[in-house]
Amino acid sequence: MTEGLILIAVLVLWDYALNAASYRFRFIERLVSAPPIPVVRDGKLLRRNMRR
């Protein structure tokens, strides 16, 4: 159980560190974040993008 808690803590810390770094440095944000996908264009739903 201890190893599981340590793993969860490490994942949370990595997530926090990546979020903080991507906030300060835009190139890191481009590396770790997916580009936004439009789901509405000209008032019409883009169903193919909604499936993603």
Side-chain angles (χ1 to χ4, degrees), residues 13-25:
L13 289 173
W14 269 110
D15 183 53
Y16 179 78
L18 282 175
N19 283 336
S22 67
Y23 179 75
R24 299 190 90 178
F25 306 106

Side-chain angles (χ1 to χ4, degrees), residues 20-43:
S22 67
Y23 179 75
R24 299 190 90 178
F25 306 106
R26 292 293 172 189
F27 70 93
I28 293 177
E29 182 178 2
R30 286 189 298 252
L31 289 175
V32 299
S33 299
I37 298 173
V39 293
V40 177
R41 182 176 292 142
D42 297 327

